[in-house]
Amino acid sequence: MAEIVDPLLVVVLLINFFVLGTSRMHSIVNGSAAQGVVLGAIALFAHGKFGVASLIIAGGAVVLKGVIIPSMLFRALRDVVIRREVEPLIGFVPSLLTGAFGTALAILFAHTLPLAPEHVGTLLVPTALSTVLAGFILLTTRKKAITQVVGYLILENGIFVMGLTLVDAMPFLVEMGVLLDLLVGIFIMGIMINHIQREFASQDTTHLTQLKE
Amino acid sequence: MAVLLVLAPILCSAVAFATPSNRTRPSVVTVGSLVQLVLVAFALTRPHVEGLNGWLLLDPVGRIVLGFTALLFAAAGLYVPGYLAQRSERPNRIFCTCVLAFMGVLALITEAHHLGLMWVAMEASTLTAAPLLYFNRNARSLEATWKYLLLGSVGIALALLGSFFLGYAAFYTGGEPSLLLADLVQNAPNMSRSWLHAAFMVLLVGYGTKMGLAPMHTWKPDAYGEAPGLAGTLLAGALTSGAFVAILRVYRICAAAGEADFARKPMIALGLFSMLVAGVFMARQKDFKRMLAYSSVEHMGILILGIGIGGSAVFGTMLHMLNNGLTKGVLFLSAANIHRAFGSKSTDDVRGAIRRVPISAALFLAGFFAVTGSPPFGPFLSEFTILNAAVSSGQFVVAGSFLVMLVIVFMGMGSTVLLVVQGEASSSTIQPLERERVLTVAPGIFLIALVLLLGIYIPEPLDALLRSAAASLEGP
């Protein structure tokens, strides 16, 4: 299993770096979509057996994270004139470096954690941790509402990878529930982005600073 | 039965969604909440409520939360028609649908005994509450909803990560991979300690964000400040209690693993810090709805602190959860009436409410005394129990800090509340006077009467329920 899953996990890590380093909004959304498709493939192989349930979950992940959610984000992007994330809180190179440093730490850290025999030496846990971290970096350092949503998506992707270590513990219904919650969450966020756009003629969340002490 | 408690409100929400008239729709909420109250009352009389192969189970903690939130929902349900009649210019389809769906989701949180299912329900509660916050549809409520949505989603995502860590802690030692609470409690003694510790911390931060513990509380003042008072009632009274239940479930696993001492230290720290933050920001707070948000931060701090202190404080915490939930209903509903009567929520404009809306102002004042732990109201009893437990178990520093914070909060909150209630009415804020209606004050009177009753007399069945809830958290 590891010989198929590990290269795919490396792809997930590379997409993290790509998303951290690019300023084009379309590339960021595309990156998250590609990551969603790869995660679906990983889910299929990680189950070990090709049952109906694992097919549905993998398919659901691909359709949701790879097609539906990105197309919702693209729709939100359509009216925006600005196509780039300008002036993030920290630059692209520093955030890339932070991501790389975090990944190195995650790999080292995962070595010190007690892992079940079948997970020793695989990239499952380090990828999960470093993807969560990449999501956090995007969420906290970017100002555009869409980029923050993509950050949340990537964070969720990292958690999805962690969930793959427990495939047998997660019943089918719960897994579908998690995916459904994600879909509805992004849907509502999309509506909110739309309203931010209309209210301020921009998607910059720095406009959202009226409420403070 | 267990499934029905979740499905009935969701079914009602579908009815509300399908109701075409803006005028009759709010009464669907009233009927739905009363139906739910009857169902919950029936469920509470049954000794054993279970469903979906043990995934849903009504345990003592769940019974307490389900019971008082049903009362709170009934009060809110009665309040809804009067409130929405004053806001008849706004479409309320989504509002009514979400209030009812929220009730169903909250029942699911209290019953869920599977960490994955509990997570799905918590996330669903975040999502159903978001449209309630955005009811006013202006730039300020937009900002509040965006912050709530993003912070809440990230917090809840962390909680999922923590749930996986917890599952892995059991799986690592060769246990059957399962996220069922009963299995996890049973496997707890064999769990990998490092995974268990990591899981607890991540879950505490994750669900703590939903509870609004400092420093993850920043969404709270914005959300409660901008949302209608009714949404504040549901969030501060019910949703935060639901998140607390989630933390209690995780704590129970830790206690079963013999790691209660590890879990208590961060809980005490977070609890005291929340109270401190609340006290600091409440002082000279001009916006009385934001002030209520900090009061909620304070009381969530007290709850988590009570569990951290342990011993008989756990009983006090169970009682306090009940008291706080009901008192928050009084405060938010009366604050909403005052807000509407003056068209402002700043103490610059709102003064002398006792002359303009006497009943709501009296309720606001009574709610203030109750929530700050003045006798003879219920919170006095529960806060005293927690304090007493801290002293008798020799945690003098904790007890001393707790007492100091309570005094700071009392003074800070008191200065704002007294200004709102008494104060010299300024002549510049003459608005078309809105008469107090029976439907908008009766729910508050009903709730404050309950809080008063709980301070004087705890009925025998409730006492037994609180005791068994406290005992279930002590672990074997």
Side-chain angles (χ1 to χ4, degrees), chain A residues 2 19 21 27-28 47 61 76-77 89-90 95 101 104 131 147 158 161 168 173 190 195 201 205 209 211 213:
Chain A
V19 173
S27 311
I28 291 175
H47 274 80
L77 264 179
L89 244 45
I90 64 170
S95 57
F101 184 65
T131 309
T147 330
V161 175
D168 301 324
L173 269 177
H195 284 265
T205 51
T209 48
L211 304 177
E213 294 307 332

mmCIF file of all heavy atoms in Angstrom, chain A residues 2 19 21 27-28 47 61 76-77 89-90 95 101 104 131 147 158 161 168 173 190 195 201 205 209 211 213:
data_model
loop_
_atom_site.group_PDB
_atom_site.id
_atom_site.type_symbol
_atom_site.label_atom_id
_atom_site.label_comp_id
_atom_site.label_asym_id
_atom_site.label_seq_id
_atom_site.Cartn_x
_atom_site.Cartn_y
_atom_site.Cartn_z
ATOM 1 N N ALA A 2 1.924 1.224 0.859
ATOM 2 C CA ALA A 2 2.739 2.425 1.036
ATOM 3 C C ALA A 2 3.391 2.863 -0.270
ATOM 4 O O ALA A 2 3.550 4.059 -0.511
ATOM 5 C CB ALA A 2 3.810 2.181 2.091
ATOM 6 N N VAL A 19 0.763 26.277 -3.474
ATOM 7 C CA VAL A 19 -0.280 27.211 -3.049
ATOM 8 C C VAL A 19 0.303 28.309 -2.164
ATOM 9 O O VAL A 19 -0.102 29.472 -2.242
ATOM 10 C CB VAL A 19 -1.405 26.445 -2.323
ATOM 11 C CG1 VAL A 19 -2.407 27.394 -1.714
ATOM 12 C CG2 VAL A 19 -2.107 25.512 -3.280
ATOM 13 N N GLY A 21 3.231 29.519 -2.399
ATOM 14 C CA GLY A 21 4.159 30.390 -3.103
ATOM 15 C C GLY A 21 3.542 31.226 -4.206
ATOM 16 O O GLY A 21 4.186 32.128 -4.732
ATOM 17 N N SER A 27 -4.696 30.108 -9.522
ATOM 18 C CA SER A 27 -3.772 29.008 -9.259
ATOM 19 C C SER A 27 -4.011 28.432 -7.878
ATOM 20 O O SER A 27 -3.920 27.222 -7.666
ATOM 21 C CB SER A 27 -2.331 29.499 -9.354
ATOM 22 O OG SER A 27 -2.148 30.229 -10.519
ATOM 23 N N ILE A 28 -4.334 29.319 -6.924
ATOM 24 C CA ILE A 28 -4.554 28.843 -5.562
ATOM 25 C C ILE A 28 -5.765 27.906 -5.525
ATOM 26 O O ILE A 28 -5.707 26.812 -4.959
ATOM 27 C CB ILE A 28 -4.750 30.047 -4.611
ATOM 28 C CG1 ILE A 28 -3.430 30.811 -4.468
ATOM 29 C CG2 ILE A 28 -5.223 29.575 -3.249
ATOM 30 C CD1 ILE A 28 -3.539 32.072 -3.646
ATOM 31 N N HIS A 47 -7.792 2.485 1.917
ATOM 32 C CA HIS A 47 -8.750 1.539 2.468
ATOM 33 C C HIS A 47 -8.274 0.101 2.285
ATOM 34 O O HIS A 47 -8.735 -0.792 2.972
ATOM 35 C CB HIS A 47 -10.125 1.716 1.807
ATOM 36 C CG HIS A 47 -10.975 2.756 2.457
ATOM 37 N ND1 HIS A 47 -10.813 4.092 2.210
ATOM 38 C CD2 HIS A 47 -11.982 2.653 3.367
ATOM 39 C CE1 HIS A 47 -11.691 4.766 2.934
ATOM 40 N NE2 HIS A 47 -12.408 3.925 3.649
ATOM 41 N N ALA A 61 -15.055 12.448 -2.268
ATOM 42 C CA ALA A 61 -13.983 13.408 -2.017
ATOM 43 C C ALA A 61 -13.538 14.064 -3.315
ATOM 44 O O ALA A 61 -13.333 15.282 -3.375
ATOM 45 C CB ALA A 61 -12.804 12.715 -1.333
ATOM 46 N N ALA A 76 -17.246 32.661 -7.287
ATOM 47 C CA ALA A 76 -17.066 33.829 -6.427
ATOM 48 C C ALA A 76 -15.968 34.738 -6.969
ATOM 49 O O ALA A 76 -15.995 35.951 -6.786
ATOM 50 C CB ALA A 76 -16.732 33.392 -5.007
ATOM 51 N N LEU A 77 -14.996 34.117 -7.659
ATOM 52 C CA LEU A 77 -13.863 34.892 -8.192
ATOM 53 C C LEU A 77 -14.244 35.682 -9.434
ATOM 54 O O LEU A 77 -13.580 36.649 -9.798
ATOM 55 C CB LEU A 77 -12.725 33.947 -8.580
ATOM 56 C CG LEU A 77 -11.612 33.719 -7.571
ATOM 57 C CD1 LEU A 77 -10.608 32.729 -8.134
ATOM 58 C CD2 LEU A 77 -10.923 35.027 -7.239
ATOM 59 N N LEU A 89 0.164 39.521 4.520
ATOM 60 C CA LEU A 89 0.787 39.961 5.769
ATOM 61 C C LEU A 89 2.270 39.613 5.817
ATOM 62 O O LEU A 89 3.093 40.418 6.229
ATOM 63 C CB LEU A 89 0.065 39.314 6.954
ATOM 64 C CG LEU A 89 -0.641 40.269 7.892
ATOM 65 C CD1 LEU A 89 -1.433 41.318 7.142
ATOM 66 C CD2 LEU A 89 -1.557 39.499 8.824
ATOM 67 N N ILE A 90 2.630 38.395 5.400
ATOM 68 C CA ILE A 90 4.047 38.099 5.192
ATOM 69 C C ILE A 90 4.208 37.647 3.753
ATOM 70 O O ILE A 90 3.278 37.114 3.156
ATOM 71 C CB ILE A 90 4.596 37.035 6.180
ATOM 72 C CG1 ILE A 90 3.922 35.677 5.981
ATOM 73 C CG2 ILE A 90 4.469 37.487 7.616
ATOM 74 C CD1 ILE A 90 4.602 34.564 6.747
ATOM 75 N N SER A 95 6.563 32.854 3.515
ATOM 76 C CA SER A 95 5.551 31.862 3.876
ATOM 77 C C SER A 95 5.904 30.497 3.298
ATOM 78 O O SER A 95 5.636 29.465 3.914
ATOM 79 C CB SER A 95 4.148 32.308 3.452
ATOM 80 O OG SER A 95 4.098 32.567 2.086
ATOM 81 N N PHE A 101 9.922 24.671 6.460
ATOM 82 C CA PHE A 101 10.444 24.436 7.801
ATOM 83 C C PHE A 101 9.445 23.591 8.598
ATOM 84 O O PHE A 101 9.815 22.630 9.281
ATOM 85 C CB PHE A 101 10.685 25.793 8.481
ATOM 86 C CG PHE A 101 11.320 25.696 9.825
ATOM 87 C CD1 PHE A 101 12.613 25.214 9.972
ATOM 88 C CD2 PHE A 101 10.614 26.084 10.955
ATOM 89 C CE1 PHE A 101 13.193 25.116 11.221
ATOM 90 C CE2 PHE A 101 11.183 25.993 12.206
ATOM 91 C CZ PHE A 101 12.477 25.503 12.342
ATOM 92 N N ALA A 104 9.550 19.977 7.505
ATOM 93 C CA ALA A 104 10.716 19.286 8.066
ATOM 94 C C ALA A 104 10.449 18.929 9.527
ATOM 95 O O ALA A 104 10.694 17.800 9.972
ATOM 96 C CB ALA A 104 11.955 20.178 7.948
ATOM 97 N N THR A 131 0.336 19.603 6.217
ATOM 98 C CA THR A 131 -0.756 20.204 5.447
ATOM 99 C C THR A 131 -1.628 21.075 6.345
ATOM 100 O O THR A 131 -2.059 22.166 5.945
ATOM 101 C CB THR A 131 -1.594 19.103 4.774
ATOM 102 O OG1 THR A 131 -0.722 18.231 4.065
ATOM 103 C CG2 THR A 131 -2.598 19.685 3.815
ATOM 104 N N THR A 147 -8.814 33.454 -0.431
ATOM 105 C CA THR A 147 -7.597 32.749 -0.038
ATOM 106 C C THR A 147 -7.762 32.164 1.355
ATOM 107 O O THR A 147 -7.262 31.087 1.645
ATOM 108 C CB THR A 147 -6.394 33.700 -0.077
ATOM 109 O OG1 THR A 147 -6.625 34.677 -1.067
ATOM 110 C CG2 THR A 147 -5.139 32.957 -0.393
ATOM 111 N N GLY A 158 -5.624 18.373 5.338
ATOM 112 C CA GLY A 158 -4.640 17.767 6.232
ATOM 113 C C GLY A 158 -5.320 16.849 7.227
ATOM 114 O O GLY A 158 -4.837 15.743 7.517
ATOM 115 N N VAL A 161 -6.275 13.606 5.689
ATOM 116 C CA VAL A 161 -5.158 12.653 5.616
ATOM 117 C C VAL A 161 -4.982 11.954 6.957
ATOM 118 O O VAL A 161 -4.788 10.740 7.028
ATOM 119 C CB VAL A 161 -3.856 13.371 5.200
ATOM 120 C CG1 VAL A 161 -2.687 12.410 5.251
ATOM 121 C CG2 VAL A 161 -3.989 13.962 3.817
ATOM 122 N N ASP A 168 -10.840 2.408 9.404
ATOM 123 C CA ASP A 168 -11.813 1.419 9.859
ATOM 124 C C ASP A 168 -12.680 1.941 10.996
ATOM 125 O O ASP A 168 -13.755 1.411 11.252
ATOM 126 C CB ASP A 168 -11.085 0.145 10.301
ATOM 127 C CG ASP A 168 -10.276 -0.425 9.156
ATOM 128 O OD1 ASP A 168 -10.753 -0.323 8.016
ATOM 129 O OD2 ASP A 168 -9.167 -0.940 9.395
ATOM 130 N N LEU A 173 -21.260 6.631 7.313
ATOM 131 C CA LEU A 173 -22.177 7.759 7.498
ATOM 132 C C LEU A 173 -21.455 8.987 8.020
ATOM 133 O O LEU A 173 -21.697 10.104 7.583
ATOM 134 C CB LEU A 173 -23.273 7.366 8.483
ATOM 135 C CG LEU A 173 -24.521 6.763 7.862
ATOM 136 C CD1 LEU A 173 -25.487 6.347 8.951
ATOM 137 C CD2 LEU A 173 -25.169 7.790 6.938
ATOM 138 N N GLY A 190 -19.157 31.018 0.684
ATOM 139 C CA GLY A 190 -19.258 31.599 -0.652
ATOM 140 C C GLY A 190 -20.297 32.715 -0.684
ATOM 141 O O GLY A 190 -20.069 33.785 -1.257
ATOM 142 N N HIS A 195 -21.456 38.695 -0.411
ATOM 143 C CA HIS A 195 -21.964 39.888 0.270
ATOM 144 C C HIS A 195 -20.838 40.866 0.609
ATOM 145 O O HIS A 195 -21.035 42.073 0.537
ATOM 146 C CB HIS A 195 -22.720 39.481 1.534
ATOM 147 C CG HIS A 195 -24.079 38.922 1.254
ATOM 148 N ND1 HIS A 195 -25.212 39.694 1.278
ATOM 149 C CD2 HIS A 195 -24.479 37.677 0.902
ATOM 150 C CE1 HIS A 195 -26.258 38.930 0.976
ATOM 151 N NE2 HIS A 195 -25.832 37.706 0.749
ATOM 152 N N ALA A 201 -17.219 46.393 -2.423
ATOM 153 C CA ALA A 201 -16.653 46.379 -3.770
ATOM 154 C C ALA A 201 -15.246 45.815 -3.755
ATOM 155 O O ALA A 201 -14.382 46.223 -4.516
ATOM 156 C CB ALA A 201 -16.668 47.777 -4.398
ATOM 157 N N THR A 205 -10.460 41.324 3.360
ATOM 158 C CA THR A 205 -11.035 41.239 4.700
ATOM 159 C C THR A 205 -10.510 42.335 5.613
ATOM 160 O O THR A 205 -10.940 42.443 6.751
ATOM 161 C CB THR A 205 -10.752 39.873 5.337
ATOM 162 O OG1 THR A 205 -9.368 39.610 5.230
ATOM 163 C CG2 THR A 205 -11.536 38.789 4.665
ATOM 164 N N THR A 209 -13.024 45.605 9.817
ATOM 165 C CA THR A 209 -12.346 45.990 11.054
ATOM 166 C C THR A 209 -13.138 47.027 11.836
ATOM 167 O O THR A 209 -12.585 47.761 12.630
ATOM 168 C CB THR A 209 -10.953 46.583 10.754
ATOM 169 O OG1 THR A 209 -11.121 47.536 9.715
ATOM 170 C CG2 THR A 209 -9.970 45.540 10.348
ATOM 171 N N LEU A 211 -15.522 46.319 13.999
ATOM 172 C CA LEU A 211 -15.866 45.822 15.324
ATOM 173 C C LEU A 211 -14.606 45.575 16.128
ATOM 174 O O LEU A 211 -13.843 44.678 15.831
ATOM 175 C CB LEU A 211 -16.644 44.517 15.205
ATOM 176 C CG LEU A 211 -17.908 44.571 14.368
ATOM 177 C CD1 LEU A 211 -18.522 43.202 14.288
ATOM 178 C CD2 LEU A 211 -18.886 45.554 14.951
ATOM 179 N N GLU A 213 -12.660 46.643 20.261
ATOM 180 C CA GLU A 213 -12.825 47.362 21.532
ATOM 181 C C GLU A 213 -12.263 48.760 21.407
ATOM 182 O O GLU A 213 -11.215 48.978 20.855
ATOM 183 C CB GLU A 213 -12.098 46.616 22.652
ATOM 184 C CG GLU A 213 -12.710 45.268 22.951
ATOM 185 C CD GLU A 213 -14.208 45.347 23.226
ATOM 186 O OE1 GLU A 213 -14.680 46.398 23.695
ATOM 187 O OE2 GLU A 213 -14.899 44.368 22.938
#
